[in-house]
């Protein structure tokens, strides 16, 4: 299956390699570099690249390319999914998945990779198991280790590996037993020129942070489970209970994890909380244009809309922009041609506006298309689909846990065509 | 035996104690290695290696560890650290586990290069293979098998064989991985390895399943025979296998299924025709294959099993698993079921860019063949300006595939936006897409063409060029009067510089020169002027244009043509010179010109076939979806072809597993797993059964409640309109399969619990009881979990399970819409010669607590009785009676419900109960009762449960699960079990809520205290003969005229009492049989119609009280209208 793994930074340096079978020369990455060059943009590098003797399957995360070398037929998603799992594991262990973090913890990284794959086949990918095998580095522990000579490596097989619930480590103990759930919904939308909705849907996740002792068995039920159209679960969730009763019944992993992903059924109309008035035009002759954008609240759902940011990829001919915001700050990067307007919280009384002049490269033809506006926003304490957690029950343990649910709505891929 | 090692293992370490001072110095001098290490660092590497060596040979573990960490750092950077091999290997037996692991990492990396030294470490591993710690055993095996040294192949082989029988499933998993490592090192060992694979395939642990399937795929993917016996097990444990294993198993099973099952697609036309029937028809999904009249497609139950067990995995968070299931459905499921996967695939589009790429590719392939699947999700494929180009192009591809007459206007509007995109590559792709839409959907061809012509005035050259090319293709497919467009394009020639576009225009004008007779020569003139500066492709087309004009309009163009031909003659490009020479010979008449020039006009102006604009994803589905080969559209090495469906169904019996071994240890998590653990015996014997003439095709009961019907088909064909029946039955497969899953999954574990707790009831459990499907209240679908197994004892004359579903197939299949209309049908008769096949009752405990298992995952499970043993017991117990009496599912389930608690007296809480006539799942002594609780008040009722019971002696109640809360207006149905002790005494108990208690009572009608049984008429007579005198009660009753038809009588009787119908040869005599729930005493009822609306009612039973009450009851119902 997965033969080797190369990590490549944005400068094109291979800064880590790991082989699970016989060694594959790093020159195989030349094919990758070739493809990268052809793609211009990092985003455009094809995930699967055939070479004469191998196949390269890569993902791009946090400015690092993870390039897996494959020799024989294997489902490409299998590899891609695994690589993403590796990234998650790095984030879990080191807080981030940057080149610096990986280099700093190269030994832990190596030990992790060694445990995650055997002969190219995933062996242990559950965070709870891995953390028992290889303890995550902390400052305290590394100090202690350097003094006592003890190690970060577990000596026995984690019980989870053999148990029927591999995701949970055994003998968890907390003094404060807490279970928190974040219901995060994202609105993906495309609005057309006139402001009407071309496409909109709501997608949500429930992230859990569970710190409960022992073996709790949790049941989470919703007030209105019918809203959920399509769902996917963490392996701990029992499919059957969901299918028959529409409740989430699970023995949670210890710590943070994503409990479920869901999509709200498309029959429900999606409430779009903001509107955007825009007037962008480039003068036919001369080298300037006008830019006038207003962002306002459309449906005030009793909550304030915060963290509003607008980003615009301007056409290449735009040299600079002289704008005046009535609220927030804006920046324009003449190199990447990205305009960012950080609006912050929208006040319904005073509608934020950004207005001014666009300087174009003289002589160049005017751009024929206006740039799309990408909007970000956040609404606290609201799940826009209306989904509500009804209750959380715990079985199997005696103590009374502290429970909490938080709702957030965000803009996902929220795009306004102009 | 295991702990001999540790003292010896120190021997290597003791050697280098004296080097510490050097080491310390070395530590200071090592800077952290910089990233951009090139050649320049070679020298420093040497120095560092020296100090590393010293550190490795020190006696302090911490120093060694430090050294190893740095070495691993070197390896990670791809630097050569092989000189240190001897120094590192010495530490292989270190007690420090981290050090040891790092040494392992090093060893695996360099052992292949330094084989001799590597051998030194082997004996350490051999010792570690016997370590009591399973982690150490496993990692030793991992390293030993990863050390690619051919000399140790025999040792590896031995280690693998040993590890394959290890007690720890983790070690066995490692062994499975080691198999392929050894195979890649030494392919000659294949035969031995296959033996190990065969052994491991039988492994019951879910941990091993994925790994061994991978080994199978790599070592012997063609040995499909190894899978047969494990097929059902693999299907059943699939849910519990870790996600990576799931992907492999699903892919492997896809290949397997394609070789073993018949195509479900051939019948699609028939399917569509009958789908209405199927929709309403019975659940009879498998029919007997021996039916001669029509040979409907019948899905193999194993085929269905696979589809059913993979479906829940669509909800997996692992995208690879979802994709694997999707491709399985694509390649294996009947057409009507494939769309199940759509939603999940669309969901994957929210995932990472790379995932999107692969999924979109697969959707593109799918959407060519099956537009309908993705059409509802059209908008999910709309392009965002932030998508990477390859994602955009794929989405565009899919949108084009999905476009049809209905949605084309939406799609085109969307395309309009795309055309203006800043990403010109994408804009060009959009234009091509518009072209494809135009050719595919004739309604919009003109619209598209006009749109494209408008684009010709676009400022961007690539857009214009692409439009020209596409217009050219469109005009070619539409050889009509588009001369306007051609003229327009001729004008464009002055402005367009893109060679491909220029060439296209020139070609167009040449091709249609007769439509634009005035413009064409002028174009030629212009082209002649600029000939030398053009690109080759344009020059070639100019030559073509010249030739064509010369042939049609020689007067005006002769000179121009000659001029161009002369230019061409001296062109630097030999292709053009070549072409020039060829054309000159062909068109210009001279003395040497051959016969061909006569046909020059025909050659040049022949009508050309229009190019076909088709998707690049066409025909990609020759590769299995989701594979690397599919993504690349070429065969990747190691790709295993998906075979075509077999023409003849291969033998099904190969998958039968004879003996059920108890499942080892703890792999069940009751909540999740049940579905996964029906034991294999479910199926055993079915193949043989089918083969035999009597054809009682046994069960795979979960498949569909009614499939055991098939056993009787042969006998009943005379009476039934066989063909309609079979058609409907085969078609209903999909619906029944899906629904049955949940109930079945419960039963899987219940069964075990039962065996654990009720061993004393073995005798009773020998009856094939049907189990209530919780979902369907009215009993429209009854699942029978009959476990049948072959008995060796031919003396035991148990006849087969006639597990009938509640909804019997009707004689007329389309009248099956309403259960109530259904005509009761006599139970089939099992001849005594029929194979003895015994069925074991599935009485079980409801999994009241999904939660409980957690606390006892490792609790040893008592070994369950193997079915064969049960068969034996059963044989013994019934030997003396030597008749076949089986409990069947009820013939008819009345929907009538009785009031338990009125909402007025219940303060808003109302309760009704009814008898589903199913064997109770709590205990075989109990009658199952379904209670429907409705909250008609305006406040939430909380904590509904059964409180104090005031029961007459002998009665017992099994409570329902307490209900936490009931919203106003909501209602819920719960089931409980009551042991009435074969009496009609009322069961009194309290129904409690959080705040109130209500006294209620359930009094059964006598008819509900029975369980229907089947027996042959002959058996009936025999039994009746034994129950005479005291046990017989006879009465002459008057029968209402309306009820005098036999159909009505049967209906009346089975409505009143839960009786089974005994087939009767005489028209006027109807026989019914049942047994009491608790004592299992037979109750035989005979109704003989006499003249003048009277009938003789005869009841034979030892339970005389029941007999007389039943008599009263029946008398009343038959008298009524």
């Amino acid at each position: 299956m997965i033969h080797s793994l190369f990590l490549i930074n944005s400068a094109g340096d291979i800064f880590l390699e790991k082989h699970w079978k016989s060694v594959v020369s790093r020159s195989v990455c030349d094919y990758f570099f070739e493809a990268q060059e052809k793609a211009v943009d990092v985003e455009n590098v094809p995930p699967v690249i055939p070479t004469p003797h191998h196949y390269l399957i890569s993902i791009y995360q946090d400015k690092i390319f993870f390039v897996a070398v494959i020799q024989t037929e294997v489902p490409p998603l299998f590899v891609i999914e695994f690589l993403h799992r590796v990234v998650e594991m790095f984030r879990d262990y080191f807080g981030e998945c940057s080149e610096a973090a990986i280099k700093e913890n190269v030994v832990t990284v190596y030990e992790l990779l060694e445990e995650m794959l055997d002969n190219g086949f995933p062996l242990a990918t559950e965070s709870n198991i891995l953390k028992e095998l290889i303890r995550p580095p902390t400052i305290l522990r590394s100090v202690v280790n350097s003094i006592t000579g003890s190690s970060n490596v577990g000596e026995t097989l984690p019980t989870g590996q053999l148990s029927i619930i591999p995701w949970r480590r055994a003998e968890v103990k907390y003094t404060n037993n807490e279970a928190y759930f974040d219901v995060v919904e994202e609105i993906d939308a495309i609005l057309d020129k006139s402001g009407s909705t071309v496409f909109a849907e709501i997608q949500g996740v429930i992230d859990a942070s569970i710190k409960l002792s022992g073996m709790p068995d949790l049941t989470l039920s919703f007030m209105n489970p019918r809203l959920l159209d399509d769902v996917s679960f963490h392996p701990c969730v029992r499919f059957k209970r969901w299918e028959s009763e529409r409740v989430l019944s699970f023995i949670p992993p210890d710590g943070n994890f994503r409990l479920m992903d869901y999509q709200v059924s498309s029959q429900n109309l999606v409430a779009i909380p903001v509107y955007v008035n825009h007037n962008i035009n480039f003068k036919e002759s001369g080298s300037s244009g006008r830019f006038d954008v207003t962002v306002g609240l459309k449906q005030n759902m009793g909550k304030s809309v915060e963290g509003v940011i607008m980003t615009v990829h301007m056409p290449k001919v735009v040299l600079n922009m002289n704008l005046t915001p009535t609220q927030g700050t804006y920046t324009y990067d003449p190199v990447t041609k990205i305009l960012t307007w950080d609006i912050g919280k929208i006040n319904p009384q005073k509608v934020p506006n950004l207005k001014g002049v666009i300087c174009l490269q003289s002589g160049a033809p005017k751009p024929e298309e206006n740039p799309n506006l990408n909007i970000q926003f956040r609404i606290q304490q609201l799940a826009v689909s209306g989904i509500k957690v009804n209750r959380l029950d715990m079985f199997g343990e005696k103590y009374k846990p502290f429970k909490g649910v938080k709702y957030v709505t965000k803009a996902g891929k929220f795009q306004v065509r102009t | 035996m295991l702990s001999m090692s540790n003292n010896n293992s120190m021997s290597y370490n003791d050697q280098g104690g004296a080097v510490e001072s050097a080491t310390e110095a070395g530590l200071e001098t090592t800077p952290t290695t910089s990233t951009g290490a090139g050649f320049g660092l070679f020298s420093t590497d040497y120095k560092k290696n020296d100090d590393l060596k010293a550190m490795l040979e020190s006696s302090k573990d911490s120093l060694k560890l430090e050294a190893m960490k740095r070495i691993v750092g070197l390896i990670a950077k791809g630097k050569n650290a092989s000189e240190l091999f001897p120094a590192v290997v010495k530490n292989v037996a270190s007690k420090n586990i981290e050090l040891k692991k790092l040494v392992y990492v090093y060893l695996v990396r360099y052992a292949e290069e330094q084989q001799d030294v590597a051998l030194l470490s082997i004996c350490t591993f051999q010792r570690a293979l016997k370590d009591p710690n399973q982690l150490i055993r496993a990692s030793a095996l991992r390293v030993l098998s990863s050390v690619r040294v051919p000399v140790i192949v025999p040792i590896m082989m031995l280690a693998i064989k040993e590890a394959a029988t290890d007690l720890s499933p983790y070690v066995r998993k490692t062994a499975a991985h080691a198999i392929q490592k050894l195979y890649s090192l030494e392919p000659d060992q294949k035969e031995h390895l296959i033996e190990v694979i065969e052994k491991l395939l039988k492994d019951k642990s879910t941990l091993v399943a994925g790994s061994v399937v991978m080994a199978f795929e790599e070592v012997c993917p063609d040995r499909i025979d190894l899978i047969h016996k494990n097929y059902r097990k693999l299907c059943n444990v699939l849910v519990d296998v870790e996600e990576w294993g799931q992907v492999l198993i699903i892919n492997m099973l896809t290949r397997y299924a394609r070789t073993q099952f018949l195509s479900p697609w051939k019948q699609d036309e028939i399917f569509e025709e009958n789908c209405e029937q199927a929709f309403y028809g019975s659940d009879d999904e498998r029919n007997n294959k021996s039916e001669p009249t029509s040979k409907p497609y019948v899905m193999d139950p194993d085929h269905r099993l696979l589809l059913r067990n993979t479906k829940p995995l669509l909800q997996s968070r692992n995208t690879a698993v979802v994709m694997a299931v999707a491709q399985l459905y694509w390649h294996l499921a009947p057409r009507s079921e494939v769309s199940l996967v759509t939603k999940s695939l669309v969901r994957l589009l929210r995932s990472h860019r790379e995932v999107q790429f692969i999924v979109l590719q697969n959707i593109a392939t799918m959407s060519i063949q099956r537009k309908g699947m993705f059409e509802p999700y059209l908008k999910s494929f709309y392009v965002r300006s932030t998508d990477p180009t390859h994602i955009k192009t794929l989405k565009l591809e899919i949108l084009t595939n999905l476009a049809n007459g209905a949605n084309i206007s939406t799609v085109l509007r969307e395309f309009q936006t795309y055309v203006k995109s800043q990403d010109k590559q994408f804009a060009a792709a959009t234009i091509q897409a518009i072209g494809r839409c135009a050719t595919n959907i004739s309604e919009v061809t003109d619209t598209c063409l006009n749109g494209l012509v408008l684009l010709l005035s676009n400022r961007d050259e690539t857009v214009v060029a692409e439009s020209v090319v596409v217009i050219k293709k469109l005009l070619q497919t539409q050889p009509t009067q588009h001369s306007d467009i051609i003229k327009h394009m001729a004008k464009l020639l002055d402005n367009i510089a893109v060679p491909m576009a220029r060439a296209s225009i020139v070609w167009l004008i040449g091709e249609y020169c007769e439509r634009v007779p005035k413009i064409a020569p002028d174009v030629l003139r212009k082209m002649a002027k600029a000939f030398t500066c053009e690109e080759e492709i344009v020059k070639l087309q100019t030559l073509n244009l010249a030739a064509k004009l010369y042939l049609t309009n020689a007067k005006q163009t002769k000179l121009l043509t000659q001029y161009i031909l002369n230019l061409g003659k001296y062109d630097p490009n030999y292709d053009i010179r070549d072409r020039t020479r060829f054309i000159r010979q062909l068109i210009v008449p001279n003395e040497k010109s051959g016969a061909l020039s006569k046909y020059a006009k025909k050659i040049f102006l022949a009508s050309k076939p229009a190019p076909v604009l088709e998707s690049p994803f066409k025909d990609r589905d020759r590769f299995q979806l989701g594979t690397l080969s599919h993504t690349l559209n070429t065969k990747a090495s190691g790709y295993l072809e998906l075979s075509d469906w077999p023409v003849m169904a291969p033998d099904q019996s190969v998958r039968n597993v004879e003996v059920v071994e108890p499942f080892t240890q703890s792999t069940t998590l009751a909540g999740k797993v049940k579905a996964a653990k029906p034991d294999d015996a479910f199926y055993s014997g079915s193949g043989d059964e089918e083969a035999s003439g009597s054809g009682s095709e046994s069960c795979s009961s979960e498949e569909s409640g009614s499939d055991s019907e098939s056993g009787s088909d042969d006998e009943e064909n005379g009476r039934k309109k066989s063909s309609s029946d079979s058609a409907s039955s085969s078609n209903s497969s999909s619906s029944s399969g899906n629904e049955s899953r949940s109930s079945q999954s419960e039963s899987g574990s219940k069964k075990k619990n039962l065996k654990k707790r009720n061993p004393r009831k073995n005798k009773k459990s020998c009856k094939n009881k049907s189990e209530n499907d919780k979902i369907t209240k009215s009993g429209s679908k009854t699942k029978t979990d009959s476990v049948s197994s072959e008995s060796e004892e031919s003396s035991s004359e148990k006849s087969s399970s006639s597990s009938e579903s509640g909804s019997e197939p009707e004689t007329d299949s389309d009248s099956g819409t309403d259960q109530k209309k259904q005509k009761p049908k006599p139970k089939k008769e099992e001849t005594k010669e029929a194979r003895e096949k015994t069925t074991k009752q599935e009485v079980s405990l409801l999994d009241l607590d999904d939660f409980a298992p957690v606390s006892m995952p490792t609790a040893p499970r008592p070994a369950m009785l193997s079915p064969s043993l049960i068969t034996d017991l059963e044989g013994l117990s019934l030997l003396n009676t030597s008749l076949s009496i089986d409990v069947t599912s009820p013939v008819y389930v009345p929907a009538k419900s009785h009031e338990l608690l009125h909402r007025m007296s219940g303060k808003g809480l109302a309760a009704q109960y009814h008898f589903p006539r199913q064997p109770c799942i709590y205990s075989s002594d109990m009658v199952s009762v379904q209670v429907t609780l409705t909250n008609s008040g305006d406040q939430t009722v909380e904590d509904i449960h059964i409180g104090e019971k005031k029961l007459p002696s002998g009665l017992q109640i099994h409570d329902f699960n307490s209900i936490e809360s009931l919203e106003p207006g909501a209602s819920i149905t719960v089931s409980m079990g009551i042991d009435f002790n074969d009496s009609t005494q009322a069961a009194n108990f309290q129904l409690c809520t959080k705040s109130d208690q209500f006294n209620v009572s359930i009094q059964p009608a006598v008819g509900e205290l029975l369980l229907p049984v089947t027996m042959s008429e002959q058996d009936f007579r025999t039994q009746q003969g034994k129950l005479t005198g005291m046990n017989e009660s006879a009465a002459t009753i008057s029968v209402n005229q309306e009820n005098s038809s036999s159909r009505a009588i049967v209906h009346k009787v089975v409505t009143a009492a839960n009786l089974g119908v005994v087939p009767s040869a005489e028209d006027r005599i109807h026989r019914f049989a049942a047994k009491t729930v608790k004592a299992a005493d037979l109750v035989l009822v005979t109704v003989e119609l006499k003249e003048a609306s009277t009938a003789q009612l005869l009841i034979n039973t030892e339970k005389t009280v029941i007999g007389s009450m039943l008599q009263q009851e029946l008398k009343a119902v038959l008298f009524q209208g």
Side-chain angles (χ1 to χ4, degrees), chain A residues 17 26 43-44 60 71 73 81 85 103 114-115 118 121 151 155 164 203 233 243 251 417, chain B residues 35 76-77 98 101 133 142 243 248 315 319 350 353 389 414 628-629 637 666-667 741 854:
Chain A
E17 63 179 65
R26 55 165 69 191
E43 290 265 283
N44 276 333
Y60 180 70
Q71 213 155 24
E73 171 66 52
E81 180 78 23
R85 220 45 88 71
K103 277 182 175 166
E114 185 73 25
E115 286 304 330
D118 180 18
F121 185 77
S151 71
E155 303 209 4
I164 41 176
Q203 290 153 354
F233 300 122
E243 234 155 69
I251 296 170
R417 291 176 178 168
Chain B
T35 51
K77 283 190 208 94
E98 186 168 18
K101 281 203 167 174
N133 184 336
R142 275 178 65 185
E243 42 198 349
L248 294 174
Q315 249 75 57
T319 56
R350 294 165 46 209
R353 173 182 72 94
T389 308
E414 193 62 20
L628 186 61
S629 305
S637 65
S666 58
T667 40
R741 181 149 36 80
V854 180

Side-chain angles (χ1 to χ4, degrees), chain B residues 224 254-260 331 624 640-646:
Chain B
I224 235 134
T254 310
R255 276 196 311 119
Y256 176 85
R258 279 295 272 266
T259 60
Q260 296 299 316
H331 291 292
Q624 190 174 353
L640 300 164
E641 294 276 356
L642 207 57
S643 71
D644 277 335
W645 298 100

Side-chain angles (χ1 to χ4, degrees), chain B residues 12 85 88-93 103-104 107-108 111 114-128 143-144 147 149 152:
Chain B
Y12 284 124
F85 201 94
V88 173
V89 166
K90 283 176 196 163
N91 291 306
V92 73
V103 174
Y104 285 179
L107 248 178
V108 172
Q114 310 225 357
Q115 308 209 342
D116 296 343
V117 197
L119 289 177
L120 293 176
S121 60
I122 300 302
C123 67
T124 320
F125 297 129
Q126 281 180 298
R127 265 200 303 274
V143 180
L144 180 66
V147 171
V149 179
I152 60 160

Side-chain angles (χ1 to χ4, degrees), chain B residues 755-1029:
Chain B
K755 280 171 211 139
K756 189 156 55 177
R757 305 206 189 167
N758 287 355
R760 71 192 163 85
K761 290 190 184 118
N762 269 335
K763 183 181 160 194
K764 249 169 246 156
S765 71
C766 297
K767 306 286 157 48
N768 170 21
K769 277 195 178 182
S770 57
E771 168 146 349
N772 181 17
D773 182 344
K774 277 170 79 184
I775 297 171
T776 52
K777 285 175 213 156
S778 66
S780 66
K781 221 167 276 146
T782 310
K783 305 296 175 265
T784 55
D785 276 11
S786 60
V787 174
S788 66
S789 66
E790 302 243 48
S791 156
E792 298 300 321
E793 287 180 46
S794 55
S795 59
S796 85
E797 300 230 36
K798 291 293 294 170
S799 78
S800 88
S801 61
S802 61
S803 47
E804 295 274 4
S805 76
S807 64
E808 287 274 9
E810 292 268 290
T811 45
D812 202 357
S813 55
D814 48 2
S815 71
T817 51
D818 190 345
Q819 287 298 318
K820 283 171 194 149
K821 282 191 224 148
Q822 246 178 356
K823 179 183 85 159
K825 194 170 66 64
K827 287 280 160 0
K828 69 175 177 199
E829 185 177 358
E830 271 297 332
T831 51
K832 291 200 176 181
E833 309 78 2
R835 290 186 145 265
E836 54 270 299
K837 177 181 62 152
T838 43
T839 51
K840 181 162 59 75
Q841 173 195 26
E842 260 21 290
V843 189
S844 23
L845 294 166
L846 185 68
D847 49 317
L848 290 166
D849 27 15
D850 260 358
F851 331 109
V854 180
S855 51
M856 47 166 196
T858 47
R861 209 174 269 283
M864 56 190 234
L865 280 170
S866 78
S868 58
L869 182 51
I870 290 173
T871 314
D872 293 349
L873 290 172
E874 187 176 37
L876 289 173
S877 65
L878 291 169
L879 208 60
N880 48 359
T881 63
S882 75
L883 81 164
S884 58
I885 300 175
D886 275 353
V887 175
T888 59
S889 49
V891 180
Y892 178 74
V893 179
K896 187 185 172 199
S897 58
H898 315 270
E899 178 134 286
L900 187 61
L901 180 65
H902 191 267
R903 67 184 161 87
M904 295 313 283
S905 47
K907 299 181 186 173
L909 180 71
Q912 293 198 309
Y913 67 94
H914 93 120
F915 296 95
R917 290 191 172 176
Q918 302 301 335
C920 182
I921 47 180
Y922 304 109
S923 155
S924 59
D925 287 351
M926 291 184 170
V927 175
S928 67
V929 181
Q930 283 192 343
V931 181
T932 307
L933 297 155
T934 312
N935 184 357
S936 49
D938 48 8
Q939 290 196 327
T940 304
V941 182
E942 288 186 333
D943 192 25
I944 305 169
H945 62 277
I946 289 181
E948 198 187 333
K949 302 162 194 164
K950 283 168 270 182
L951 301 171
S953 67
L955 266 64
Q956 286 181 344
I957 290 185
H958 192 290
D959 304 5
F960 55 82
N961 277 338
S962 64
I963 297 156
E964 276 156 20
S965 71
L966 195 59
E967 300 292 330
S971 72
I972 189 167
T973 301
V974 291
S975 55
M976 54 191 288
I978 303 178
D979 180 358
F980 286 105
N981 199 17
D982 290 349
S983 75
T984 51
Q985 294 173 89
N988 300 308
F989 56 93
Q990 285 187 326
L991 192 62
C992 302
T993 64
K994 201 174 180 184
S995 47
D996 294 294
Q997 291 154 2
F998 311 103
N999 288 317
V1000 293
S1001 75
I1002 293 179
Q1003 181 162 33
V1006 64
E1008 304 300 340
L1009 298 174
L1010 305 173
L1011 285 172
V1013 296
T1014 55
M1015 57 173 74
S1016 66
E1017 195 176 356
Q1018 196 185 353
D1019 286 338
F1020 187 91
R1021 290 223 185 91
T1022 322
Q1023 292 301 313
Q1024 200 174 25
K1026 290 180 190 166
L1027 295 165
T1028 51

Side-chain angles (χ1 to χ4, degrees), chain B residues 216-232:
Chain B
F216 170 83
E217 292 278 80
E218 299 230 339
V219 178
C220 52
D222 47 337
R223 286 291 303 275
I224 235 134
D225 55 301
L226 295 180
I227 302 300
H228 289 322
K229 294 277 182 227
N230 300 293
Y231 172 82
R232 285 167 189 154

